[in-house]
Amino acid sequence: MAGFVRASRARLQVPSTKLASARPRAVRGYATPGSSSSRGSTSSRSMYALYGAMGLILVGAATTRLVSDHTRLDGPSADREREFEKFGSPADFRKAIEQLRTDLSPEMVSTDLDVLKDHGFSVNTYHPGMAHTVVVFPDRTEDVVAVMKVATKYHMPVVAYSGGTSLEGHFTGIAGGCICVDMSGMNRILEIHEEDSDVVVQSGLSWEELNATLKEKEIPLFFPLDPGPGATVGGMIATGCSGTNAVKYGTAKSHWFINVTVVLPDGEVIKTRSRARKSSAGFDLTKLFIGAEGTLGIVTEATLRLTPLVPTSVAIASFPDVKQAADAVRDIVNSTAGDALQCIELVDDKFMYATNTYGTSQRKYLEKDSLFFKIQGSPSSIKENAGIIEGIVKKNGGLSFEVAESEKDAKDLWQDRKNGLWSAMSMVPNSKGWSTDVCVPIGRLADLVYETKKDLAKLGITSAIVGHAGDGNFHALLLFSNDKEFIAVREAVHRLVERALDMDGTCTGEHGVGIGKKEYLYQELGHGTVDLMKAIKRTVDPLGIMNPGKLYPDAETRPSVKHVDINTHGC
């Protein structure tokens, strides 16, 4: 559920043209609807040395949060600061920027202050942001190659950017300066192979645009990963995303990405495998880049597997408490109706209260812990499986069970689930929200939710909880309005992660690691696994220029928090 805390923001995209063709066997080279041009101008170039090349933190409304001793919260450790010394000097960065303008074109390279800020800070996260030195807007793989050759020549760190929806600080700038490569203009569908149920796309394409185009072309297939509004293929690969459909279709680390085209740190281009549906030829290098968070290279193209559209209905059940709801999930998943479920979403009583009180829903729900279901199949099989699910709900003490009576009713029910963020944010006027996720074995989900709700209630933190219950993925939106509440929220998030790890879970089910969760990797994966990850990183990226400071933990220490001024975050 990567988009649970998705705030609206302008996306920078380059123009693209649409190829209006019918449903050929392979459709090549058309862009998706809704593209717009908004590249940053190259004005204010004389300011980039002050703002970007030195990697200075923005001041005023966009300043990074500070702790009382004036050091950055979660900022680079001494080891990381020493690591940055190997990167290019400000003079090298000036030369690199001029070469980028020469090798590409001036309009593809921006040092405009607003553009640098927009790409280095995010309204979706409360991790510290930092401006980039320069932002580049490639149109094709060859442009990315040119960027990486310049970056290697001048030892400039490189951070990939696309949808800007990540929640764990994945695309923030680097201390000392860096190149940001904005892939959002590379948003074309290159090939559609309907007979093979796959599609070749550029990495700046969003999953929503892809599915909208397939629908417009009357192709009865879709791409089932649904991490949240605005997420693009490149970001989905980088974070190893999933979404509400994961109980049925799995995650990005399943089989949905057949191959990827990657520009490596030295500018070499590789394609991880052919378009064949399966292969036992060598390592599965496609998966090496899924979850690598842009630290091994930049994905420019990908072949995606598609799946048939299946008729779907929606149901909702309410329970006296979360344990009974979670027990019902376990029994339903293991029943004959389990294979018919596309989604099972667990929401708590606060979520339902917010939907009734602050949402746009036309109905009134029981304000109890509840489950939303999407049930797939023919009308008769949906009816049969809904009956099985209802029986299990009753067996586990369910208070109500309702199945949508029409397609519109189903759409309205599911929209209430999807509107949860905006409803929950309204519970505390003018508040801000911290969204986080963890994942545990399904049998421990009830314990996790119960202990977390008890912790939040004790602290007096207003929150809403939603989980992809079918696979044990759990999200919490924690609201705060001042510094004191922010610190309490941050500590509560830490305890939530520790709680999940103690239950043999993971610190992140689908949001990714970034800078926000990397401190937990040694605890979750162990030294051997993390050291192997670092060894792969050093082999592929010996200069360490690809998104440094993200994903790989610096040490087994957790930063302490003394004081945080949330008003300097710039949200």
Side-chain angles (χ1 to χ4, degrees):
M1 182 176 150
F4 188 56
V5 121
R6 169 73 176 138
S8 62
R9 64 190 309 279
R11 283 188 62 200
L12 297 175
Q13 290 187 319
V14 294
S16 55
T17 56
K18 179 163 183 186
L19 174 66
S21 56
R23 282 167 59 188
R25 188 167 181 270
V27 183
R28 295 190 62 89
Y30 65 87
T32 57
S35 298
S36 61
S37 177
S38 180
R39 290 181 176 175
S41 69
T42 56
S43 63
S44 304
R45 294 178 186 173
S46 62
M47 293 295 292
Y48 83 87
L50 170 65
Y51 178 82
M54 299 303 295
L56 295 179
I57 301 172
L58 292 174
V59 295
T63 309
T64 331
R65 297 186 310 277
L66 305 177
V67 293
S68 59
D69 59 359
H70 304 294
T71 59
R72 291 178 59 235
L73 177 66
D74 285 341
S77 65
D79 289 340
R80 282 188 60 200
E81 292 290 5
R82 285 192 292 271
E83 176 185 327
F84 294 141
E85 293 176 2
K86 69 186 179 185
F87 298 141
S89 67
D92 292 326
F93 284 13
R94 287 192 289 271
K95 293 175 185 177
I97 292 171
E98 290 309 312
Q99 185 170 341
L100 286 170
R101 290 187 174 123
T102 299
D103 292 352
L104 298 171
S105 62
E107 64 270 17
M108 296 174 70
V109 181
S110 177
T111 53
D112 179 85
L113 300 189
D114 289 336
V115 174
L116 301 180
K117 170 188 170 182
D118 185 61
H119 285 73
F121 288 79
S122 173
V123 296
N124 293 341
T125 180
Y126 290 93
H127 303 302
M130 183 175 289
H132 301 284
T133 306
V134 58
V135 179
V136 181
F137 299 87
D139 290 321
R140 54 184 185 159
T141 297
E142 291 78 4
D143 297 336
V144 180
V145 170
V147 172
M148 293 313 308
K149 287 185 177 297
V150 171
T152 297
K153 178 179 179 181
Y154 293 101
H155 290 201
M156 288 189 72
V158 177
V159 177
Y161 177 101
S162 189
T165 63
S166 70
L167 298 172
E168 298 294 350
H170 295 90
F171 56 82
T172 186
I174 306 301
C178 62
I179 301 172
C180 176
V181 183
D182 185 332
M183 302 295 291
S184 63
M186 293 182 61
N187 63 347
R188 295 168 67 84
I189 297 175
L190 302 176
E191 301 172 10
I192 295 176
H193 303 277
E194 182 179 355
E195 71 281 14
D196 295 327
S197 297
D198 68 46
V199 59
V200 183
V201 304
Q202 291 181 312
S203 62
L205 180 73
S206 78
W207 65 274
E208 298 156 300
E209 292 167 343
L210 171 59
N211 284 336
T213 301
L214 294 171
K215 182 177 180 180
E216 179 184 312
K217 305 290 288 182
E218 298 183 350
I219 296 174
L221 302 169
F222 81 114
F223 184 61
L225 302 186
D226 60 335
T232 64
V233 168
M236 295 164 73
I237 291 170
T239 57
C241 78
S242 53
T244 64
N245 291 332
V247 65
K248 175 72 173 182
Y249 296 107
T251 75
K253 295 183 178 182
S254 301
H255 54 252
W256 298 107
F257 295 102
I258 297 173
N259 65 47
V260 291
T261 298
V262 185
V263 180
L264 297 177
D266 63 357
E268 181 181 359
V269 180
I270 66 166
K271 188 174 182 179
T272 53
R273 51 165 286 193
S274 70
R275 199 168 55 82
R277 185 57 65 93
K278 67 178 184 179
S279 171
S280 60
F283 296 155
D284 188 350
L285 291 181
T286 302
K287 287 187 171 58
L288 178 66
F289 294 95
I290 298 175
E293 302 190 0
T295 65
L296 301 179
I298 296 180
V299 174
T300 60
E301 297 179 9
T303 301
L304 280 52
R305 185 173 180 173
L306 304 176
T307 194
L309 286 164
V310 180
T312 304
S313 189
V314 176
I316 183 172
S318 61
F319 296 83
D321 58 52
V322 69
K323 185 181 186 309
Q324 289 168 290
D327 288 345
V329 169
R330 179 200 59 216
D331 293 346
I332 291 167
V333 168
N334 292 324
S335 74
T336 56
D339 287 342
L341 290 170
Q342 179 176 336
C343 309
I344 313 177
E345 296 290 285
L346 171 66
V347 298
D348 72 347
D349 54 339
K350 300 297 184 184
F351 181 104
M352 300 309 299
Y353 167 76
T355 300
N356 281 340
T357 308
Y358 302 101
T360 58
S361 178
Q362 300 302 307
R363 65 175 68 219
K364 290 295 181 183
Y365 296 94
L366 285 176
E367 293 173 5
K368 297 289 187 179
D369 298 310
S370 301
L371 297 173
F372 282 84
F373 305 91
K374 273 191 176 181
I375 309 171
Q376 291 184 333
S378 65
S380 60
S381 66
I382 288 175
K383 182 177 181 180
E384 178 182 355
N385 285 311
I388 294 171
I389 294 169
E390 182 177 14
I392 295 173
V393 167
K394 290 180 178 178
K395 173 188 170 185
N396 284 279
L399 302 173
S400 66
F401 181 81
E402 178 185 356
V403 181
E405 297 181 352
S406 65
E407 184 175 339
K408 180 183 182 303
D409 195 25
K411 184 178 294 186
D412 290 344
L413 268 172
W414 195 251
Q415 193 60 46
D416 287 341
R417 156 63 187 88
K418 300 295 283 185
N419 286 340
L421 166 65
W422 315 116
S423 300
M425 288 293 295
S426 299
M427 288 193 291
V428 181
N430 302 316
S431 66
K432 301 180 181 183
W434 182 311
S435 175
T436 191
D437 90 309
V438 294
C439 189
V440 295
I442 297 174
R444 300 305 307 272
L445 183 61
D447 298 330
L448 178 67
V449 175
Y450 174 77
E451 292 297 330
T452 300
K453 285 174 67 69
K454 184 169 67 172
D455 185 26
L456 297 178
K458 181 179 179 181
L459 293 171
I461 295 175
T462 301
S463 65
I465 286 174
V466 58
H468 307 322
D471 57 9
N473 196 190
F474 166 73
H475 301 258
L477 176 66
L478 283 60
L479 305 182
F480 60 94
S481 302
N482 55 53
D483 293 3
K484 181 179 179 181
E485 291 176 353
F486 175 86
I487 293 173
V489 163
R490 187 177 185 279
E491 293 301 309
V493 169
H494 170 70
R495 286 192 297 276
L496 168 59
V497 174
E498 294 283 353
R499 197 173 295 123
L501 295 179
D502 288 343
M503 296 179 181
D504 203 16
T506 176
C507 64
T508 174
E510 56 189 18
H511 290 177
V513 175
I515 62 177
K517 295 287 182 70
K518 69 177 188 174
E519 64 184 280
Y520 302 105
L521 288 199
Y522 277 118
Q523 181 179 348
E524 177 176 335
L525 302 177
H527 280 273
T529 301
V530 173
D531 289 348
L532 179 58
M533 289 170 54
K534 290 184 174 183
I536 293 170
K537 163 72 170 175
R538 288 191 296 270
T539 300
V540 177
D541 181 23
L543 296 179
I545 60 175
M546 299 305 303
N547 209 12
K550 321 292 173 57
L551 179 59
Y552 310 94
D554 301 315
E556 282 190 280
T557 57
R558 177 173 176 270
S560 61
V561 181
K562 299 177 183 178
H563 172 73
V564 179
D565 181 2
I566 63 170
N567 294 318
T568 62
H569 181 64
C571 293

